[in-house]
Amino acid sequence: MTDARLLSVAPSPAFWVAAVGYAAATALLFAVLAGGTRLRTLTLALLTVAFVAHGTDIGWRGTQHVHPAESVREALGFLAFIITGGYLLASTRYRLTLGGVVVMPVALVLLVLARLTPAGAEPENLSTLGRIHISLATIGVAVFAVASVLSAVYLVEDRALKRKKFDTLALEQGGAPLEPLDRLSHRLVWVGFPIFTVAMILGAVWTARLGQSVGRIEYALATVTWIAFATLLVARQIYGWRGRRAAKLTLEGFACALAVLVIYLIRRIL
Amino acid sequence: MSELFVVGLSWQTAPVAVREKLAFREDELAPALRELIGGLPVAEALLISTCNRVEVYGVAKPGIDPSGDIRAFLARSRSIMLAEVADVLYAHRGPAAIRHVFRVASSLDSLVVGEAQILGQLKAAYTIAGAAGTAGPVLSRALERAFGVAKRVRTETAISRGAANVSSVAVALARRVFGSLDGKSVLVVGAGKMSALAAKHLWSNGAKDIRVTNRSPERADALAREIDGTSVPWADLELALAAADVVISSTGAREPVLRYAAFKRVKKARRGRPMIVLDIAVPRDAEPKIADLDDVYLYDIDDLDKVVKDNLAERQKSADHALRIVEHEAGQFEHWLRTQGVVPTIRALRNRFAEIADGEVTKALDQLSRKDHTRDQQRELVQRVVQLVINKLLHTPTTVLRGSEADTGALRAEVLAELFALELRAEEPGEVAPEQPEEQTASEKAQA
């Protein structure tokens, strides 16, 4: 039986380290974007420390029997963790400062939502099936989130190149090249899609067992998300969809997934 | 003191028509250097000849200004009249020469500020001078310091950032889109020199598949051979477009040869792969509407020129910082060079002092070993040895000082006071001058 107290109180000290680290890294990323390129290494180091602290917080909650997929609220914290990890991993290869100023505020907000908002009612009938569903859905959405960030960077860079508004130093320093961004985003969708698909199936089974209605808006949006990413993969395979068109569809699919999470969260709080 | 000098001309003083008259082939450099050292009052020499400068760096023999001889040598060795180049040749000596070589190595004196080639050319010239045996210690130290300064300038300033010519911009743009150019295909449309240069630059950066197409197949074949590519019939332009990642076009056509309709037709075959089209022809070869297509990035000559100009402006902004680095380093090098004149004297002085001290210590140790001494006797012996050493050291300077003429004596006294940090006090009444120290008094000799 879950201790409801743990859902609403006493975030670990590691949480505060992670939250402050994410906030400081966000500010530094803006400074890097404004031209302070020398701060880039420091920013990534700080982000790594915050990421480790975040993992420690999740681990600590695990020792208190609070599973990362205990609820949508917990899953949000886990989602922030995976997104940050994905961003850090991608940053080892490319200069993704632009992506960072999108990712890090999102991760920070998700983390704060997960730990500092009211826990609401204690979850009912959360079976193993439910936990697996939430875990897989969280991982799938997190992978889509990283793919979406890369797609967003792609669109900004593509726009700059199309409009011939490249700033000279960025042109020399390389930034994040378009083709590798597109390739990496596509690979992430390939990874995330089967995970998300299994999560969808398990979610449908779980809902059926609970005897809930399938006519809820979040189920419809989750289906739209699945269709968007399925279309993306099929169209790329058959028609060679890539570049700007693929990036837009990735972002649209992720927007639907995000909407599902927000609806779940609101339902939980209310 | 060794004095560095430089005599030569550069793009700043001479047009290409004059520069080419004075240019040396690489195989001519070593013989010319040997001739310089053998026939002129020059101790060390290095000769650099590039498309933008011909310069002789060297170290003059003491008290001689060899610039006139070098000028005459340059004219004679190229079989031209000195009057033809006299106005464009410059000469710097001492600090000015040091600053000049540091500026040249740092690419602050180059036609394109911040370009990297000059450093390589200077290193090659230094290697040749080293092999010819004409680069001595001073020149070697100056050149090695110049290479260090150049590295510092490149690291600490933005002087070499940003592509500074159309070919480099082409590579930078391709990298921005593709990341690595390995395995990318380049299509050269037209056999213009500019596109050939850009294609070569892309090839050297990894794009090994280069195809050339031109209305005249002979010219396409010739250019393909020149840049290690393959020629494609003009009729197969669309097929080549379908396969290309980078297109460089510079035909002399009056009408566009790269049509929007053709790009639309090959779109399906390309399956969304991005493509860069660099249209460096005037009039333009590519229809501007091509830029509206997804995944096609079209740039004309004005776009590329703008990038070049922006980058050069950025480099110029860094030049002031770079000049401050050069000034600081030149100051340090001058200091080092100045100290080189007194090094032999310092060495001889130390040797002389050590020789005197060793002699007296040996004698004292010999005395101590012959019989047992009381503690007081030992103290007396040590004091005597110290006194003997002082007397011997001061004997010659004191003798010379006493025997000096008034003016010279005053000057020598002043130098001595400065060297030994002496505090001179006014002579008190009744005070007598100390006796002249002797190398060894008669009683001391007897004791010994």
Side-chain angles (χ1 to χ4, degrees), chain B residues 15 20 53 81 90 113 139-140 170 240 245-246 259 262 272 276 280 293 299 315 353 371 404 420:
Chain B
E20 67 191 7
R53 67 182 64 247
M81 299 295 290
Y90 48 76
V113 172
L139 198 54
S140 295
D245 297 301
V246 180
R259 299 279 186 183
I276 296 180
I280 47 182
L293 291 166
Y299 303 102
R315 288 183 177 203
F353 279 28
K371 60 172 185 176
S404 303
F420 289 97

Side-chain angles (χ1 to χ4, degrees), chain B residues 226-387:
Chain B
E226 189 188 327
I227 60 177
D228 203 13
T230 51
S231 64
V232 176
W234 183 254
D236 292 343
L237 177 61
E238 280 191 27
L239 277 176
L241 281 176
D245 297 301
V246 180
V247 177
I248 306 168
S249 188
S250 68
T251 72
R254 304 303 304 171
E255 295 294 324
V257 293
L258 300 176
R259 299 279 186 183
Y260 175 76
F263 277 74
K264 278 283 268 185
R265 281 194 292 274
V266 301
K267 196 172 187 300
K268 195 176 175 186
R270 294 190 55 79
R271 292 178 59 82
R273 281 187 298 117
M275 177 197 255
I276 296 180
V277 181
L278 303 169
D279 180 2
I280 47 182
V282 179
R284 286 178 291 176
D285 279 342
E287 286 181 338
K289 206 164 177 257
I290 290 170
D292 295 342
L293 291 166
D294 270 358
D295 310 317
V296 178
Y297 304 92
L298 170 65
Y299 303 102
D300 62 30
I301 188 71
D302 279 359
D303 300 325
L304 302 177
D305 274 345
K306 184 179 178 306
V307 177
V308 170
K309 280 178 187 153
D310 288 350
N311 287 345
L312 289 178
E314 283 294 322
R315 288 183 177 203
Q316 205 57 49
K317 279 185 201 166
S318 302
D320 286 345
H321 183 194
L323 280 171
R324 282 198 295 279
I325 293 173
V326 165
E327 192 58 36
H328 173 74
E329 294 278 356
Q332 288 195 331
F333 186 77
E334 277 170 47
H335 174 73
W336 174 83
L337 205 54
R338 271 199 304 274
T339 60
Q340 293 314 292
V342 296
V343 164
T345 310
I346 292 170
R347 199 176 292 132
L349 190 67
R350 282 185 170 278
N351 288 343
R352 171 84 177 126
F353 279 28
E355 194 181 305
I356 291 171
D358 283 351
E360 294 308 321
V361 168
T362 309
K363 281 181 202 168
L365 290 174
D366 189 40
Q367 281 184 37
L368 284 170
S369 65
R370 273 193 230 147
K371 60 172 185 176
D372 289 338
H373 289 73
T374 63
R375 196 172 177 75
D376 287 343
Q377 284 173 325
Q378 285 176 354
R379 186 183 298 123
E380 193 187 331
L381 187 64
V382 170
Q383 282 172 342
R384 200 166 57 244
V385 167
V386 171
Q387 192 57 49

Side-chain angles (χ1 to χ4, degrees), chain A residues 2 8 15 25 39 53 66 74 91 94-96 109 115 129-130 156 161 193 200 204 223 235 248 252 256 263:
Chain A
T2 305
S8 57
F15 157 75
L39 294 171
V66 182
E74 282 301 317
S91 293
Y94 304 113
R95 289 172 191 272
L96 293 171
V109 168
R115 296 284 181 274
L129 186 64
V156 173
L161 280 172
F193 185 72
M200 286 276 291
T223 310
K248 280 182 181 170
E252 284 158 7
C256 291
I263 292 167

Side-chain angles (χ1 to χ4, degrees), chain B residues 105-127:
Chain B
S106 306
S107 192
L108 288 166
D109 201 55
S110 296
L111 180 60
V112 178
V113 172
E115 53 94 7
Q117 288 94 326
I118 184 63
L119 185 59
Q121 289 162 335
L122 204 53
K123 283 181 178 173
Y126 176 47
T127 306

Side-chain angles (χ1 to χ4, degrees), chain A residues 150-207:
Chain A
L150 297 178
S151 295
V153 175
Y154 181 98
L155 287 175
V156 173
E157 296 257 324
D158 173 80
R159 192 180 162 90
L161 280 172
K162 278 279 186 191
R163 295 189 167 195
K164 303 165 185 177
K165 296 220 165 155
F166 23 73
D167 84 79
T168 52
L169 286 183
L171 188 66
E172 172 65 16
Q173 287 170 357
L178 291 182
E179 203 178 43
L181 274 179
D182 177 60
R183 201 163 45 229
L184 191 55
S185 174
H186 175 63
R187 282 179 188 163
L188 284 169
V189 172
W190 257 118
V191 171
F193 185 72
I195 299 171
F196 190 73
T197 305
V198 174
M200 286 276 291
I201 294 166
L202 293 180
V205 174
W206 186 37
T207 309

